[in-house]
Amino acid sequence: MASIWFPSAAAKTRGGPHNGVIWQRRNAATHGRCSCNRKFSPKGTFFGSPTSLNSVVRATSPISLRQSRPMAVASGKAQVLEGREFPYMFRSEKGDLVKVVVVGAVGVNFSVHIEVLSVSQDDLVLIYEMSRSDPPRSLIADIEKGIGAVIMPFVRDSSGRYTLDLEFDSAKAPFYLSFMLHLCSGAGVVASEIKTHRKTRFCVPVGLGPGYPAPLGASVSDDGMINFSLFSRNAESVVLCLYEGKTEVPSLEIELDPYVNRAGDIWHVSMDSIEDYVSYGYRCKGPVEKRGGFDVQHVLLDPYARMVRNLLSAQGDTMTPTKCLGSLEMEPIFDWSGDVHPRLPTEKLVVYRLNVGQFTRDNSSGLLEDVAGTFGGVSEKVEHFKELGVNAILLEPIFPFDINKGPYFPYHFFSVMDEYGQERNAASAINSMKEMIKTLHSEGIEVLMEVVFTHTAEGGDADSHVISFRGIDSSSYYIVDKNVGSGTNSLLKCNNPIVQQLMIDSLRHWVVEFHVDGFCFINSSLMVRGQNGDHLSRPPLVEAIAFDPLLSRTKIVADCWSPLDMSYMEIQFPHWKAWAEMNMRFCSDVRNFLRGEGLLSDLATRLCGSGDLFSSRGPAFSFNFVTKNFGLPLVDLVSFSNAELASELSWNCGDEGPTNNNTVLETRLKQIRNFLFVLFVSLGVPVLNMGDECGYSTSGSPLYDGRKPINWDSLGTGFSKQITKFIAYLGSLRIRRGDIFQSKHFLKVENIVWFGSNQSEPKWDDPTCKFLALALKSEKNFDMLNSNSGDLFVCFNASNNLETVVLPEQSEGNVWLRLVDTSLAFPGFFSNSSDTNVQKAEGLSYELKPHSCALFEATVD
């Protein structure tokens, strides 16, 4: 026999003759009529599982509705539950006002109060259904077909208002309540149905709030609700997708209403509880003519998510429409007590660049499998940093990135790559990174991050590249003109206000939450370009970072190397005396000189702090390097120089690649020492590259993707031992003679005397001249307590010939001590002035062998 579903525990009327009654399923023969005596015979339930797959909820009705102030419930007619009130007001097609107030709180059943202000004298009934979708069908037809609509009579008070109160189990939320009104004549026959003024059903959300436009991302609002907020200017509709457990199919989808859940270009919605869900994403629908397009099949990562659930690595399938989701787990609480930023002056830095994964991933690191290749692995090697004498670590990008393209192609800016945590998940990666930073800070070592804000991994036109920005609003985030730069459709509009704010928020996040000490901005030449590719004299993003009250107190470094085409674009970077720069000119000029092809004037400029580039800032703004994580590492720089490596400015010292020729091997060792020597005696900040201290080689490949983890066993070789000690010595020399090598300002012209061969004037622009020497007079007022602050004499011989050097005369009682000669055997090629075995220069002449450098210091005999 046919049966009817009336409200039971899920929904019960309050007020009127049905107050407090829990309706149960009845036989249609005994209970098949409503107050208007119309017969219905539904055959099924009216509400499915709250977490059924592929279910959809509209956050509000598909029609226009506006919120009104909280309405007063008729006294004595309804008991309103305490909690949040979400009032809505509709106008019916007859001109009647229909007010709906949804009241509820976490753990409390939801109360829905409906009030109709009508001039009609007929009885009024409500026909409703609870649903997670909004199919365009008639509620009357639903009841007649047994689909599951429910009918309820209104109560009319003395003032002529129709009121009805419903209560719903909070466990069923979120859903939306869809209903229509029906008038009944005195004879109990339906006279007419009443819809909205748009001829649609009335609809209100239950368990959902309109939300707030700020802050972006998922957050807990002041009223205790979970707020979701997303920027998309061109999306016509947005669907919030929620996931349970490790499922890859949404358990709940909430379609946001553009009239209620949108403020300007921000889409937002709030929920009472998300305890059943672990991750979320968005579907965005929009005009197909927009470049980059919208595709509703893709579930997209929230750009502001703090933790990411990565499905790419687990599936190994880049074509899946869902690649990454925002995690709804609570961020792990970390104890920062006792952590102090070293806040080292920039001119005192010695920087070591490393890749977190490749630094300790090799078995030779001696670390446990779950620690190797993680932030924890970096922490375990803190003694290695101390042994080298470095006081700042520069991390290659640690944002989530495309595994196939490498860390310089990120797709998110607020989270950490899962693989860098010991448990290979988001929470572990966050904790591990914070532990690493706290450990390094305790040893006086700062932590800088390389960041890539100019492009993402979403380049190209294939669906496999849609992860986040491109599917949310490609034309707002990306430069879509293919003629602007390389990396089609992957160049971000850095100076677009919304993109600029995203980047500023990201940087602040890393400073506040992770205590990062500074940033190096990769491909920064694109940060000064407008959307049409034109150079901006005052790029908004660069200027905003320079004057930001939080970020301006960190180290900010521009690096104009582009991972898109492995090129370096030299530009006049706007700095406001806040931005430092990676000095590529230093690298190329030093390489050219040491291979015997550079000009003396170029070398002299680099030794003195690159005044041609940093005259308005000072030498401390020049971050100097001779090798980097792209191009040839230090050992290969002196071992390979075939035609394909012309851009590397390398020299193989006589033989290409591996060799047993002792003469060639000796020259290569001298050249490695020379590169390090020039790096540390030049004004500016020396930057070392991971593995150069232990002979890391890529077998002559300049490609980044050819890099492998470093072999820690090589630290035990004679080569590595002497290079490690030499680096530590040079670092200590910079500290001891900080009056010169750590000068914040350029040296005075009167304190520098230059010499060419045979004490002649240097021939600055003669490419055949390969010898340069300079005498540096110490600043007597630098440190009166420092007894070893005498004059210095430095000489560089890049020729194949022996050079007889004439040392400047000293006052009576002073002598020259030889501190460094890169041509001598280890351990005698460097020493401190206080060492008992330090060599005095006999007389005023010194023979400097080919391809060698030397340093002398004047001291009292």
Side-chain angles (χ1 to χ4, degrees):
M1 180 175 293
S3 59
I4 296 177
W5 279 99
F6 283 96
S8 59
K12 57 186 178 182
T13 58
R14 292 183 295 130
H18 301 287
N19 186 30
V21 177
I22 299 179
W23 292 85
Q24 302 294 334
R25 188 177 183 180
R26 305 291 180 85
N27 187 293
T30 59
H31 198 91
R33 297 177 182 272
C34 67
S35 60
C36 61
N37 295 321
R38 181 165 181 170
K39 183 180 291 186
F40 303 98
S41 56
K43 299 177 181 178
T45 60
F46 64 88
F47 188 67
S49 166
T51 56
S52 58
L53 298 182
N54 299 318
S55 54
V56 178
V57 168
R58 284 188 184 273
T60 57
S61 80
I63 64 169
S64 174
L65 52 104
R66 58 188 176 91
Q67 288 185 284
S68 63
R69 294 183 179 180
M71 55 180 260
V73 179
S75 177
K77 296 298 182 180
Q79 177 186 358
V80 178
L81 294 174
E82 293 185 2
R84 306 180 192 87
E85 291 190 358
F86 296 102
Y88 303 94
M89 184 169 66
F90 301 82
R91 185 169 297 279
S92 76
E93 59 187 332
K94 294 180 176 293
D96 303 325
L97 288 180
V98 179
K99 296 183 179 181
V100 182
V101 178
V102 180
V103 183
V106 177
V108 179
N109 288 347
F110 287 96
S111 169
V112 178
H113 176 82
I114 304 174
E115 182 176 320
V116 181
L117 303 178
S118 175
V119 297
S120 173
Q121 299 299 313
D122 294 330
D123 291 334
L124 190 65
V125 297
L126 177 84
I127 302 179
Y128 79 88
E129 65 179 354
M130 301 160 60
S131 178
R132 296 197 170 214
S133 60
D134 189 32
R137 60 176 183 255
S138 166
L139 286 174
I140 293 293
D142 288 349
I143 293 179
E144 291 178 339
K145 296 176 181 179
I147 293 179
V150 183
I151 56 177
M152 285 291 175
F154 277 88
V155 176
R156 189 174 185 183
D157 61 16
S158 58
S159 63
R161 289 178 298 181
Y162 294 92
T163 60
L164 176 64
D165 291 273
L166 304 173
E167 186 174 318
F168 298 93
D169 186 350
S170 61
K172 300 295 184 181
F175 60 89
Y176 75 86
L177 180 68
S178 181
F179 64 89
M180 287 194 303
L181 307 175
H182 279 261
L183 290 174
C184 297
S185 65
V189 179
V190 174
S192 63
E193 63 181 17
I194 304 174
K195 298 182 180 179
T196 71
H197 73 289
R198 294 189 175 184
K199 309 298 183 182
T200 61
R201 293 181 293 175
F202 299 89
C203 185
V204 294
V206 177
L208 297 171
Y212 307 95
L216 290 168
S219 61
V220 180
S221 57
D222 292 340
D223 57 11
M225 298 190 75
I226 311 301
N227 192 71
F228 296 88
S229 179
L230 177 76
F231 165 85
S232 183
R233 174 171 298 142
N234 294 300
E236 295 174 346
S237 68
V238 172
V239 177
L240 172 64
C241 302
L242 298 170
Y243 292 76
E244 293 179 319
K246 295 183 178 180
T247 178
E248 297 171 10
V249 180
S251 302
L252 174 65
E253 296 190 34
I254 303 171
E255 185 171 350
L256 308 190
D257 187 294
Y259 293 97
V260 173
N261 300 102
R262 183 173 185 175
D265 297 327
I266 310 296
W267 299 76
H268 45 82
V269 67
S270 58
M271 296 178 61
D272 281 280
S273 174
I274 56 169
E275 63 181 46
D276 293 331
Y277 307 104
V278 298
S279 53
Y280 73 103
Y282 293 95
R283 299 187 194 273
C284 294
K285 306 174 185 177
V288 295
E289 64 270 15
K290 289 291 182 182
R291 291 289 296 273
F294 292 91
D295 190 340
V296 74
Q297 71 168 321
H298 293 287
V299 179
L300 306 163
L301 174 63
D302 180 1
Y304 274 82
R306 294 302 190 264
M307 294 194 293
V308 173
R309 177 187 169 206
N310 191 342
L311 304 180
L312 284 174
S313 58
Q315 299 170 166
D317 178 13
T318 59
M319 294 306 295
T320 176
T322 303
K323 299 172 181 62
C324 300
L325 298 171
S327 174
L328 292 173
E329 295 180 47
M330 291 289 292
E331 286 190 64
I333 298 175
F334 186 79
D335 181 12
W336 282 108
S337 59
D339 181 65
V340 178
H341 288 271
R343 300 200 185 283
L344 302 173
T346 305
E347 64 270 14
K348 296 185 182 299
L349 293 182
V350 176
V351 181
Y352 184 94
R353 179 192 287 107
L354 63 84
N355 176 285
V356 173
Q358 294 177 354
F359 187 57
T360 61
R361 184 175 295 147
D362 193 83
N363 292 334
S364 61
S365 67
L367 303 178
L368 297 175
E369 185 178 354
D370 62 339
V371 178
T374 69
F375 294 117
V378 177
S379 300
E380 291 291 331
K381 297 299 182 180
V382 66
E383 290 300 321
H384 180 65
F385 303 138
K386 294 169 64 177
E387 184 180 2
L388 284 171
V390 301
N391 55 18
I393 302 302
L394 176 59
L395 303 176
E396 288 186 18
I398 50 86
F399 298 159
F401 58 84
D402 187 322
I403 295 295
N404 298 318
K405 296 181 179 180
Y408 291 96
F409 292 86
Y411 53 81
H412 198 249
F413 302 130
F414 285 87
S415 57
V416 184
M417 191 71 173
D418 289 358
E419 282 71 14
Y420 293 159
Q422 292 181 222
E423 299 175 13
R424 271 56 178 183
N425 60 41
S428 172
I430 289 173
N431 261 336
S432 295
M433 183 175 180
K434 292 179 178 179
E435 285 284 2
M436 177 199 71
I437 292 175
K438 188 175 182 180
T439 298
L440 293 173
H441 280 179
S442 69
E443 299 292 346
I445 300 174
E446 293 192 338
V447 179
L448 314 179
M449 287 173 51
E450 286 188 337
V451 293
V452 182
F453 284 144
T454 56
H455 62 273
T456 72
E458 292 187 302
D461 294 323
D463 287 345
S464 61
H465 296 99
V466 179
I467 300 173
S468 180
F469 307 100
R470 189 165 174 234
I472 292 172
D473 195 341
S474 180
S475 61
S476 290
Y477 282 109
Y478 289 114
I479 297 175
V480 296
D481 184 357
K482 296 184 179 181
N483 295 321
V484 181
S486 56
T488 303
N489 291 340
S490 69
L491 297 182
L492 288 166
K493 294 179 177 179
C494 298
N495 293 300
N496 177 291
I498 190 65
V499 180
Q500 174 185 328
Q501 190 60 54
L502 171 78
M503 296 171 182
I504 294 292
D505 290 343
S506 170
L507 295 171
R508 289 173 178 167
H509 170 71
W510 294 105
V511 173
V512 173
E513 299 297 331
F514 289 83
H515 293 201
V516 168
D517 301 288
F519 304 92
C520 178
F521 296 78
I522 301 298
N523 206 8
S524 52
S525 58
L526 291 185
M527 295 171 61
V528 303
R529 295 168 64 182
Q531 297 182 23
N532 298 320
D534 50 319
H535 182 86
L536 303 177
S537 60
R538 299 186 62 176
L541 176 60
V542 175
E543 185 173 5
I545 294 172
F547 291 100
D548 185 88
L550 179 63
L551 302 179
S552 60
R553 294 179 60 83
T554 67
K555 275 84 175 176
I556 50 177
V557 186
D559 188 344
C560 292
W561 171 65
S562 171
L564 295 170
D565 55 10
M566 303 295 287
S567 67
Y568 195 93
M569 181 180 295
E570 187 174 307
I571 63 169
Q572 187 174 356
F573 197 85
H575 53 80
W576 291 276
K577 295 186 177 181
W579 283 83
E581 295 180 52
M582 283 289 174
N583 192 347
M584 184 64 187
R585 191 91 64 88
F586 179 93
C587 177
S588 57
D589 286 347
V590 171
R591 287 187 180 188
N592 262 330
F593 177 80
L594 289 180
R595 69 175 182 160
E597 297 185 13
L599 298 177
L600 298 183
S601 58
D602 291 336
L603 177 65
T605 302
R606 303 309 148 216
L607 290 170
C608 293
S610 298
D612 57 335
L613 303 176
F614 301 97
S615 60
S616 62
R617 285 173 278 180
F621 288 87
S622 174
F623 277 56
N624 302 329
F625 63 95
V626 291
T627 60
K628 211 174 179 185
N629 48 355
F630 69 95
L632 296 176
L634 188 55
V635 165
D636 291 355
L637 188 63
V638 300
S639 304
F640 297 89
S641 56
N642 57 61
E644 295 178 354
L645 297 173
S647 62
E648 291 294 312
L649 306 179
S650 58
W651 177 46
N652 63 19
C653 301
D655 286 347
E656 184 71 8
T659 183
N660 293 320
N661 187 319
N662 286 332
T663 301
V664 172
L665 292 175
E666 289 176 3
T667 304
R668 288 179 178 178
L669 181 58
K670 285 191 296 183
Q671 286 289 82
I672 289 173
R673 295 172 177 176
N674 292 339
F675 274 115
L676 293 172
F677 178 76
V678 175
L679 178 65
F680 276 81
V681 301
S682 299
L683 271 66
V685 177
V687 181
L688 298 165
N689 201 53
M690 176 188 79
D692 280 347
E693 73 275 22
C694 60
Y696 179 83
S697 172
T698 60
S699 299
S701 172
L703 302 179
Y704 179 84
D705 55 12
R707 305 274 163 152
K708 297 179 181 179
I710 64 174
N711 184 349
W712 285 85
D713 289 339
S714 61
L715 283 173
T717 64
F719 169 84
S720 181
K721 288 180 180 179
Q722 67 165 285
I723 294 302
T724 298
K725 290 182 179 180
F726 187 43
I727 291 173
Y729 166 78
L730 292 172
S732 65
L733 175 67
R734 284 179 62 87
I735 295 174
R736 186 173 66 82
R737 295 309 310 266
D739 59 322
I740 292 176
F741 300 128
Q742 291 183 341
S743 176
K744 188 175 182 179
H745 307 287
F746 291 105
L747 301 179
K748 297 178 181 178
V749 175
E750 58 267 28
N751 288 340
I752 307 175
V753 181
W754 298 97
F755 304 94
S757 296
N758 303 317
Q759 288 291 92
S760 64
E761 284 289 327
K763 297 180 180 180
W764 296 115
D765 297 320
D766 186 349
T768 64
C769 294
K770 306 181 189 306
F771 175 83
L772 181 66
L774 68 157
L776 298 169
K777 298 180 181 180
S778 62
E779 291 282 354
K780 300 303 181 183
N781 61 347
F782 169 70
D783 186 355
M784 299 303 295
L785 299 178
N786 190 346
S787 60
N788 297 316
S789 58
D791 294 348
L792 297 176
F793 186 78
V794 196
C795 44
F796 311 87
N797 182 14
S799 73
N800 294 318
N801 304 315
L802 185 73
E803 187 75 30
T804 299
V805 180
V806 179
L807 301 175
E809 291 188 8
Q810 285 290 303
S811 59
E812 185 177 352
N814 287 349
V815 295
W816 287 107
L817 300 181
R818 188 195 71 220
L819 302 185
V820 176
D821 184 340
T822 60
S823 68
L824 301 179
F826 176 74
F829 77 91
F830 64 91
S831 58
N832 290 306
S833 59
S834 58
D835 291 349
T836 57
N837 62 345
V838 65
Q839 295 293 315
K840 295 181 181 179
E842 299 296 336
L844 293 178
S845 64
Y846 186 86
E847 290 188 345
L848 187 63
K849 294 181 180 179
H851 305 292
S852 301
C853 302
L855 170 67
F856 300 86
E857 183 177 41
T859 188
V860 177
D861 190 3

